[in-house]
Amino acid sequence: MSSLWAQSLKHLENDLNDQQFHTWIRPLQAIEEDSVIRLLAPSTFILDWVNKKLMDNIRQAVATASPVNPPEVKLEIGDYTVESANETERTVPQPLQSKNKSETPTTSKTSDKTSGKSAIKHNLNTSFTFETFVEGKANQLAAAAARQVAENPGGSYNPFFIYGGVGLGKTHLMHAIGNQLMKDKPGARVVYLHSERFVADMVNALRHNKIDDFKRFYRSLDALLIDDIQFFANKEQSQEEFFHTFNTLLEGNKQVILTSDRFPKEVDGLEDRLKSRFGWGLTIAVEPPEFEMRVAILLKKASEYGVVLPDEVAFFIAKRLRGNVRDLEGALKRVGAYAQFTQQTLTVDLVKEALKDLLALQQKMVTLENIQKTVADYYKIRVADILSKRRSRNVARPRQMAMAIAKELTNHSLPEIGDAFGGRDHTTVLHAVRKVKELRETDHHLDEDFNSLIRIITN
Ligand SMILES: Nc1ncnc2c1ncn2[C@@H]1O[C@H](COP(=O)(O)OP(=O)(O)OP(=O)(O)O)[C@@H](O)[C@H]1O
């Protein structure tokens, strides 16, 4: 990456919010020439969006990084990795003509008269729909984009790539799109599979001399949904086959939806051409749910499971359990079952009893000492600095963060927190809490630090 662009990226990262930065700026590749910086966008969709909404920010960032004679910024469609690796690889293979109505492992005998292809039984989880998906700040953009994909499959968001940590709803969203496609067009050939299944199917097909059927089958789909593509890592032959399947589907305007636990370019052991091609459509992150969303998820799931969950109980669980959605679901099921077995109504006390081990585990981690130590490690200072009277910014800010986190994660009072932080007054703690809250709204780096620290301390 050109150094000027690397500098500009830093400015852009500060200037834009995370979603904007990761969705629109990060996929761009820069080529620095004499007095021009060429930015290559992986798809026309990204190109148009950046052109319309972000060019001023980009020019500004480049000018800040190179104030004397800033280069001209040109935005074009292209892919440097692929161009430089092998020009011919840009040629997307033509869709295969189905010579016969192949029987493959997942086809059923029913025939779809309109397409002339054998119909398939879809394997979607029908409870993963948009209606059952709770939206919040952490997944709003992903959900909105997913709805667009469902409305306009094979359109600009192709492939649609969702990434993020475990249990955050990637699979759910992917199925929601599939379910919507099936609803809108009942005979649609939609297949969901885990990437390991794709690999296993391919190995089987090779072993039984059925690789042509295998290819024909996957390349005949209207939509292919592949979960957790990080498992393709280091499986060269599967990547090769997937690459061609993927190109065929894209070329035929068939929708491809992929998920992974990290940004495509960061998946180790994946060929560069695949990584870069994954960025041709739209890549979007899902983040861990914030407090309000955790409450909303608990209330929605409770009504789905038929559990009567009073608001204050939902607040209590959401405040104490900050993990992913899958963990929240697990806790709720446990609490519901406990209430049913003991024939009691759900109260905070009952939750404390039912989730005793989980809460104790968390409580054990979340001591004031642990918070101080984690924050000190994170900012590479000493706990003694946090407790000291020093007021220099590199110590004062981490100290304020630690106090705000202590207020957020523990039940200690302000005076108790003040005491534990080198005998400070409770008003100092209050000021820290307010200051951090205010900064989190304006400084997204600080907000990210805060969220990361909470995650480290509570996981
Ligand atoms: N926003 C949400 N609203 C409702 N349910 C959700 C939401 N996010 C996740 N879930 C539920 O949480 C559980 C885990 O979600 P899912 O399997 O989609 O996670 P994932 O991100 O694919 O995780 P993994 O990487 O482990 O496969 C599912 O039961 C799903 O329905």
Side-chain angles (χ1 to χ4, degrees):
M1 190 195 301
S2 79
S3 57
L4 174 59
W5 182 239
Q7 286 299 318
S8 312
L9 279 179
K10 285 194 188 137
H11 296 300
L12 283 164
E13 203 175 356
N14 269 326
D15 182 26
L16 304 173
N17 69 35
D18 276 4
Q19 291 278 18
Q20 286 177 314
F21 182 77
H22 290 296
T23 310
W24 309 114
I25 301 294
R26 223 167 140 182
L28 303 176
Q29 294 169 335
I31 301 176
E32 221 181 300
E33 289 166 357
D34 283 346
S35 54
V36 177
I37 186 162
R38 283 171 63 207
L39 296 180
L40 305 183
S43 67
T44 42
F45 175 66
I46 291 186
L47 179 116
D48 289 346
W49 182 283
V50 173
N51 224 344
K52 245 189 257 155
K53 314 242 176 181
L54 297 174
M55 272 319 268
D56 285 347
N57 305 66
I58 293 178
R59 288 205 181 91
Q60 173 99 39
V62 171
T64 315
S66 167
V68 184
N69 294 331
E72 189 191 343
V73 180
K74 281 193 182 159
L75 188 63
E76 328 170 347
I77 192 94
D79 190 324
Y80 180 69
T81 336
V82 177
E83 268 171 23
S84 57
N86 185 349
E87 194 54 48
T88 55
E89 280 179 1
R90 283 191 75 85
T91 338
V92 175
Q94 290 305 302
L96 288 179
Q97 292 300 320
S98 220
K99 288 195 201 90
N100 54 17
K101 289 171 196 149
S102 66
E103 286 283 325
T104 67
T106 30
T107 49
S108 74
K109 310 259 180 202
T110 23
S111 135
D112 175 345
K113 296 201 179 67
T114 51
S115 67
K117 294 169 190 155
S118 47
I120 54 168
K121 241 188 240 123
H122 80 76
N123 55 351
L124 299 167
N125 180 336
T126 50
S127 63
F128 285 179
T129 61
F130 286 118
E131 288 73 35
T132 57
F133 192 75
V134 178
E135 289 181 37
K137 222 166 79 187
N139 62 16
Q140 222 154 34
L141 202 60
R147 283 178 206 276
Q148 291 275 334
V149 172
E151 256 168 46
N152 182 21
S156 331
Y157 297 172
N158 201 14
F160 181 48
F161 195 109
I162 314 168
Y163 72 99
V166 297
L168 296 181
K170 301 183 296 293
T171 307
H172 188 133
L173 261 187
M174 181 182 233
H175 282 257
I177 300 172
N179 281 315
Q180 187 67 41
L181 294 177
M182 295 301 299
K183 197 164 147 198
D184 294 345
K185 191 175 156 216
R189 297 166 64 80
V190 176
V191 162
Y192 161 85
L193 74 166
H194 193 268
S195 65
E196 285 181 313
R197 180 80 246 154
F198 184 89
V199 175
D201 279 2
M202 194 192 75
V203 171
N204 255 333
L206 282 171
R207 193 179 300 143
H208 296 109
N209 268 337
K210 292 239 167 115
I211 193 69
D212 285 344
D213 285 351
F214 173 88
K215 290 181 179 174
R216 231 183 335 264
F217 174 71
Y218 282 107
R219 295 177 192 191
S220 73
L221 301 175
D222 294 314
L224 176 60
L225 283 47
I226 301 209
D227 217 351
D228 291 328
I229 58 99
Q230 68 271 16
F231 289 106
F232 276 147
N234 302 321
K235 306 203 170 79
E236 283 84 15
Q237 196 175 356
S238 308
Q239 288 185 30
E240 177 74 22
E241 181 45 45
F242 181 67
F243 179 71
H244 294 301
T245 303
F246 179 75
N247 284 335
T248 307
L249 291 170
L250 249 48
E251 178 75 354
N253 296 327
K254 303 302 164 67
Q255 185 65 45
V256 177
I257 307 171
L258 307 164
T259 74
S260 162
D261 63 350
R262 65 206 88 156
F263 191 68
K265 297 227 155 120
E266 284 164 10
V267 182
D268 291 335
L270 211 58
E271 282 181 38
D272 281 348
R273 58 178 185 170
L274 260 187
K275 287 189 198 179
S276 78
R277 212 149 287 205
F278 288 161
W280 282 13
L282 183 68
T283 302
I284 249 170
V286 283
E287 306 279 346
E290 71 282 358
F291 175 72
E292 290 78 8
M293 193 172 140
R294 294 201 295 274
V295 173
I297 285 172
L298 286 167
L299 292 173
K300 178 131 185 163
K301 300 272 170 190
S303 78
E304 276 169 28
Y305 304 156
V307 173
V308 182
L309 183 71
D311 286 356
E312 78 267 16
V313 178
F315 290 155
F316 176 81
I317 301 175
K319 181 139 173 50
R320 292 302 197 85
L321 300 183
R322 296 161 171 276
N324 60 49
V325 182
R326 192 178 286 126
D327 293 345
L328 280 180
E329 273 184 351
L332 181 65
K333 282 186 187 151
R334 214 160 115 186
V335 166
Y338 194 88
Q340 205 182 9
F341 290 145
T342 57
Q343 301 202 319
Q344 296 179 61
T345 46
L346 260 179
T347 58
V348 169
D349 282 343
L350 193 85
V351 169
K352 284 184 184 162
E353 186 58 32
L355 302 180
K356 206 160 36 183
D357 51 347
L358 272 183
L359 297 175
L361 193 68
Q362 217 194 12
Q363 209 63 23
K364 207 168 85 196
M365 302 295 294
V366 189
T367 59
L368 294 173
E369 292 73 28
N370 189 308
I371 292 172
Q372 289 166 345
K373 174 154 187 352
T374 310
V375 173
D377 286 350
Y378 190 88
Y379 287 105
K380 302 194 171 51
I381 57 175
R382 295 171 309 145
V383 172
D385 293 328
I386 289 192
L387 304 184
S388 75
K389 300 274 176 258
R390 285 182 49 205
R391 289 179 181 211
S392 58
R393 172 72 83 88
N394 69 328
V395 170
R397 192 66 88 224
R399 182 187 297 131
Q400 287 180 323
M401 283 287 250
M403 289 198 258
I405 290 170
K407 184 74 195 102
E408 172 92 12
L409 292 184
T410 71
N411 291 324
H412 288 292
S413 63
L414 295 174
E416 281 168 350
I417 296 174
D419 264 357
F421 278 77
R424 291 182 152 76
D425 193 71
H426 75 277
T427 53
T428 310
V429 183
L430 189 61
H431 173 73
V433 171
R434 290 192 176 143
K435 184 77 196 166
V436 169
K437 180 167 186 283
E438 182 190 308
L439 286 171
R440 284 180 63 200
E441 277 157 22
T442 51
D443 178 348
H444 82 269
H445 276 304
L446 187 134
D447 187 45
E448 256 173 37
D449 288 344
F450 186 89
N451 290 330
S452 307
L453 279 164
I454 296 259
R455 233 170 284 150
I456 298 168
I457 295 164
T458 56
N459 275 323

